[in-house]
Structure formats: C-alpha cells, structure tokens
Amino acid sequence: MCLFGKKESWELIDESFQEEMRKAGLEKHIGKLYQIAKQAIYLDLEKAVEDNIPIGSSKIGGHPDIFLGFSWPTNGDVFLAFLAQINLTEIRNLHDGSLLPLSGHLYFFYDSENMPEGKHHSDKDSFRVLYYDTAEHPLIRMEYPEKLCNQKNSIFPACSVSFRNKWTLPSYEERKFNNDNYLNYIALENGKETFLLGYCKNIQGDVRETCAKVNLNIDYDETQKISRTDLKRIKIDKEEWVLLFQLDSVEECKMMWCDMGILYFMIKVEDLHKKRFDKTWLVLQCY
C-alpha cells in the first residue's frame, strides 16, 4: 500500500518504511524521519530490442510512441533527443493520484548535443516535457528526423522499464541530519538513480535553488555575492519546487550527462497539480 503525507501515530507508519529504516540502521529515528519521507517510483532498466517493447509501453531511449501529427521539439536548429516515455497507467498503483495523472503518457526531451545546465533563462528551449491523454489517440512509433540522426549524442538505444516504490529522504543540505547511517541511506548509487517523485539526489547542492534563481530572474556569476533580499526570496521560492523525474547517466542506454551526471526535471507543486507540465524546468548536475 502506498501512503503519502505526514503520519503522527506509530501504527500508521508504513511497514515498508519501517523495514527500510531498520535495514539502514535508522530504527531509532523512524518516527521523525517518516514525517519528512517521500515515496518515489524507481525505474529498473534493462537493455532491450525496441521491437520487443510494445508500442505505448514505458521505456528509456528508443523512439517515442506518439500520435500522428506530432511535431518534434527543437532548440533553435538543434533537434532535442528523446529520453523517455512513461505510460502512467503502468504506475497508477504506485502512487495515490494526488500528483501524477492516472492515465496518459509523459514524454521527456533534451538538447543532449549542447547539454545546457539549466542555470539561465536562455536554456528554456533546451528541454521539453509533454503530457498527452493518449487514450484518445492511437499511438505510432515515430521515426527520427533526418537532422537528429546527424547530431552527436542525440539517439539512445531503448531500455525496457519496470517500476517499484522506494522511500527517499532529504539531502544533508536540506535537513542537516548528521548521522552516518542517514548519509549512507541517501548516498548516490551511480547509474541507478532514475525515478519519479521523491527527493532529488543532489550532486552539486540543492537543485531547487537553481530553479528558484532562474524563476526569480537572479541570473548571476557563481562567484558573485547574492544580496540578503535575494537570498530570502530564493529560500521561499525553492520550497515550491518538487522533483517530477530524475534521469541518471544510464550505461544500458548509452546516456552520459557530462561526467556521470543527472538530469532533474523539476516543477512547482501547483503546476504539477494542474498538469501544467510545460512549466517544468530542467537542471543538469555532474561530478
């Protein structure tokens, strides 16, 4: 059973969360940690022959399965690489429906030719998240545009996907929970951190801060000091951002984001509730 939100009674703490915390050596902190835990939907990936993946099924890489008349997204004269499609009916039993739609498809695209980091407004066309209620449209497996085929790092082999729930906890920067077992629990497992919802697995600081700075038009040199007023604005705005989708560097799909980096598709809670996926912002972090 998938439970979301805060629980005050020990009896209401999800058994899977209790088990995960015991295995992590965090049993003494279960009650406290459950108040801040978020359940994510992890993707387990396996290299596959795309012809063996049914049209419309969730996958990473390959060709998008989308309706006739779809216009391939671009960033100027660069065609965006297709990263993933999520068939939302396949995960409807893994969340309560308060954040993600229960049907339709999500599609993710990115300018993997230039790999912008999402630190500036000028990066706004370098990615795209599309949502379609595809139940109303027959799907076809879309061929790549000719120009996309001539770009470097823009076509990825397909991986099939299976889903599972896993609990996530805030990064150390967010909570300052100074406990070795906690730090081990939230540590990155390179190549295995692809999931929906939950907390970001940050590599270079709080991803939400980058989103807030761009959203507030605080376009700055990283060596430049930010005013107290702007710091306060950033602190408030960043709390509105949540993770929609995190895509790791995936060896099976030959995806490498700079140096073993991660792509974070972030969205404000209000936009997520209203299915305004066009409001998503992308951040790239790497080692």
Side-chain angles (χ1 to χ4, degrees), residues 142-180:
M142 186 68 62
E143 292 298 324
Y144 300 124
E146 183 178 353
K147 187 169 182 179
L148 181 76
C149 298
N150 296 325
Q151 294 175 183
K152 295 180 180 179
N153 307 315
S154 294
I155 293 178
F156 306 105
C159 284
S160 60
V161 173
S162 57
F163 299 98
R164 59 185 167 88
N165 280 131
K166 182 179 178 182
W167 291 95
T168 62
L169 294 169
S171 66
Y172 173 77
E173 292 84 359
E174 291 177 68
R175 290 293 171 175
K176 304 293 185 184
F177 195 83
N178 194 13
N179 178 291
D180 287 344

Side-chain angles (χ1 to χ4, degrees), residues 38-45 58-61 81-88 91 99-100 105-110 127-130 156 159-164 168 191-202 207 211 241-250 253 255 257 261-268 272 277 279-285:
K38 291 183 180 180
Q39 205 169 41
I41 302 172
Y42 266 71
L43 282 68
D44 293 321
L45 309 176
S58 298
K59 61 185 173 183
I60 303 294
F82 170 65
L83 303 181
Q85 69 186 32
I86 305 296
N87 183 336
L88 294 165
I91 59 172
L99 295 176
L100 292 176
H105 281 72
L106 283 173
Y107 302 86
F108 297 87
F109 294 83
Y110 177 55
F127 55 89
R128 208 83 84 246
V129 178
L130 306 175
F156 306 105
C159 284
S160 60
V161 173
S162 57
F163 299 98
R164 59 185 167 88
T168 62
K192 299 180 180 179
E193 301 290 2
T194 296
F195 56 88
L196 297 146
L197 308 178
Y199 287 104
C200 300
K201 290 292 188 80
N202 303 317
V207 173
C211 296
W241 291 90
V242 295
L243 177 68
L244 172 61
F245 182 50
Q246 174 176 309
L247 179 57
D248 206 343
S249 291
V250 182
C253 299
M255 292 179 174
W257 315 124
I262 292 177
L263 299 178
Y264 308 86
F265 291 87
M266 307 295 292
I267 190 169
K268 285 198 168 188
L272 185 54
F277 294 102
K279 302 291 186 181
T280 302
W281 189 257
L282 175 137
V283 175
L284 165 62
Q285 289 188 352

Side-chain angles (χ1 to χ4, degrees), residues 225-241:
K225 189 174 181 179
I226 302 176
S227 69
R228 289 186 178 181
T229 300
D230 282 342
L231 284 172
K232 185 176 181 180
R233 294 170 64 213
I234 291 168
K235 184 177 180 180
I236 294 171
D237 190 81
K238 78 173 189 177
E239 296 301 324
E240 299 181 28
W241 291 90

Side-chain angles (χ1 to χ4, degrees), residues 208-222:
R208 299 173 306 156
E209 285 193 9
T210 302
C211 296
K213 288 170 184 173
V214 175
N215 185 53
L216 297 170
N217 293 308
I218 302 174
D219 202 357
Y220 73 105
D221 184 310
E222 291 186 4

Side-chain angles (χ1 to χ4, degrees), residues 118-152:
K119 292 183 176 180
H120 308 283
H121 271 291
S122 57
D123 295 335
K124 63 182 176 64
D125 294 325
S126 63
F127 55 89
R128 208 83 84 246
V129 178
L130 306 175
Y131 168 69
Y132 292 114
D133 185 359
T134 44
E136 299 179 3
H137 304 277
L139 300 180
I140 62 168
R141 187 151 289 171
M142 186 68 62
E143 292 298 324
Y144 300 124
E146 183 178 353
K147 187 169 182 179
L148 181 76
C149 298
N150 296 325
Q151 294 175 183
K152 295 180 180 179

